[in-house]
Amino acid sequence: MLNVHIRKSLFHFELDVEFVVRNEIVVLFGASGSGKTTILNCIAGLSKANEGLISLNDKIFFKGKKSHVPMQQRKIGYLFQDYALFPHMTVWKNISYGMKSEKLAKDLMEELNIGHLIQQYPHEISGGEKQRVAIARALATEPQLLLLDEPFSALDDETRAKGHHELIRLQKLWGIPVIMVTHSHEEAKKLGDRIIYIKRGKFQSTNETQQSKV
Amino acid sequence: MDTVNLSPLWLSFKTAAIATVIVFITGVILARIIARNSFPGKGILEAIIMLPLVLPPTVVGFGLLWLFGKNSFLGRLLMDWFDFQVVFTWYAVIIAAVVVSFPLMYQSAAAAFKQYDKNVENAAYTMGASKWRVFWTISFPLAWPGLLAGLVLAFARALGEFGATLMLAGYIPNVTDTIPLAIYFEVESGNMEMATFWVILIIALGFSAILWLNWWSKRNMMRYSRQRNNE
């Protein structure tokens, strides 16, 4: 379980959020510049909150004004908006960069149907394939939490729909908390067990989605 | 032009090579620290680093003479403690070359470290990689085309340095006579044939360096930007 309480001064407003994520998909929904990515960055340790508390499964990452666990040791899989694949490395080098076991990395590649791309470079594969490589790379580190920053925004409708199915399947399979940032209300309703609406750094409301997913 | 004294060629290469190594290491480290961080006084620090690029070389030479001269604090300190004098030695040639070529290396390295997506480094960090590993496996290879461009430009600049070298190192045959100095003093003594020889040699070296750099950069840029053929 992830506990988050972040207070951070941003350029135009004060970010102040508090929430809990269990083994579910929580969607952070809001307009551009409302502080969604900053929340992910604070949880991952890429950005520092002014004060607050961030803990995962009773391990305290950040408390008060001090970081207790460096970003390298937080065991968080982070899928960036543009995937941030290493452009000078092959797909296999990307996935094996932080892998815990070679077997898991190979299983993930089979699972995500990217086994045939092993020797390809990121510029040689499609957007949907890049996304699956990025998911495999994040999961190969055996993370205890998955952060997704608009992972489907660059994909066409068909690939996006496949990606949605994939995410729900993987979350059930891995049973870890997932936080996803999106602009799309339709996507939020489709994927989120809960949707948290954010405006200018503050929570507007939280919705439990009742409908069955996808 | 019966016998050609090639001392200026070897001296130029030796001093430019040593200066380039120094400039490359310090330039990369400094650019890596400064380029992607914001801190008070960054603009002033970068302006100081870039200053030798816009100042007349004689002003740089004057500054170095003031810093390392016999009567300067540093000059006296080096003499008293190590019995070592900078002025009128080949060390002075290296120092002058380092100072004038450093801005070119810094500028290229800073641009190289800024040009790729910072999230690729962040992704590596979240996968558990140390700062050292991220630098050698991500930052350095991705910045390499820009770093190499800086290295070649710095080497070419070091090879062609004249004004600051003349002021700090003087013209001592077989000790501080680099090619640019040799050209000047050959012309001064009316030996146009020898001066022409050195001029052609240095143009050929500079031209080859830039030609190779352009070819290499184009090849490397294509490598990362090529799109999927069947898309």
Side-chain angles (χ1 to χ4, degrees), chain A residues 4-195:
Chain A
V4 179
H5 180 204
I6 296 168
R7 288 183 70 180
K8 184 175 171 67
S9 301
L10 299 178
F11 192 58
H12 290 298
F13 54 85
E14 173 101 356
L15 179 69
D16 190 351
V17 292
E18 191 168 359
F19 61 100
V20 172
V21 186
R22 293 175 188 86
N23 290 346
E24 58 185 338
I25 300 177
V26 167
V27 173
L28 299 182
F29 180 80
S32 292
S34 55
K36 304 185 300 291
T37 299
T38 307
I39 295 171
L40 298 191
N41 285 344
C42 286
I43 295 169
L46 300 173
S47 189
K48 198 171 171 243
N50 295 125
E51 58 177 319
L53 172 76
I54 302 168
S55 68
L56 178 65
N57 304 334
D58 298 328
K59 193 171 185 183
I60 294 172
F61 291 166
F62 184 89
K63 192 176 183 183
K65 295 179 176 184
K66 209 171 159 232
S67 176
H68 293 270
V69 180
M71 54 192 163
Q72 289 98 333
Q73 291 167 22
R74 294 193 178 191
K75 293 185 178 170
I76 290 176
Y78 196 150
L79 199 69
F80 294 88
Q81 189 178 356
D82 49 5
Y83 311 127
L85 296 175
F86 310 136
H88 58 304
M89 294 186 191
T90 60
V91 164
W92 172 246
K93 290 261 182 193
N94 264 276
I95 292 171
S96 61
Y97 190 85
M99 70 181 178
K100 289 281 182 283
S101 90
E102 194 173 325
K103 187 183 176 305
L104 172 67
K106 286 187 170 159
D107 288 348
L108 277 165
M109 289 185 78
E110 286 310 311
E111 185 85 14
L112 290 160
N113 198 22
I114 47 173
H116 60 291
L117 304 174
I118 202 157
Q119 293 301 330
Q120 306 284 94
Y121 282 88
H123 68 261
E124 295 172 324
I125 62 179
S126 71
E129 288 167 339
K130 275 182 195 162
Q131 189 222 32
R132 278 179 282 150
V133 170
I135 290 180
R137 187 178 71 169
L139 291 176
T141 63
E142 293 182 24
Q144 292 174 359
L145 166 70
L146 195 58
L147 306 176
L148 312 169
D149 190 2
E150 297 185 42
F152 307 108
S153 62
L155 304 178
D156 60 76
D157 291 346
E158 195 186 329
T159 319
R160 190 180 302 133
K162 278 185 193 165
H164 291 165
H165 276 289
E166 205 65 62
L167 177 62
I168 291 166
R169 194 175 65 83
L170 286 172
Q171 197 277 327
K172 279 185 182 146
L173 198 69
W174 282 66
I176 55 171
V178 174
I179 304 178
M180 188 180 86
V181 160
T182 183
H183 279 131
S184 159
H185 197 244
E186 188 197 350
E187 192 169 275
K189 281 201 291 187
K190 209 167 168 186
L191 298 176
D193 294 303
R194 267 187 307 140
I195 306 171

Side-chain angles (χ1 to χ4, degrees), chain B residues 72-89:
Chain B
S72 71
F73 172 74
L74 194 60
R76 274 204 302 253
L77 201 76
L78 289 170
M79 184 51 91
D80 292 347
W81 286 18
F82 305 104
D83 196 24
F84 176 72
Q85 183 189 313
V86 171
V87 180
F88 303 130
T89 63

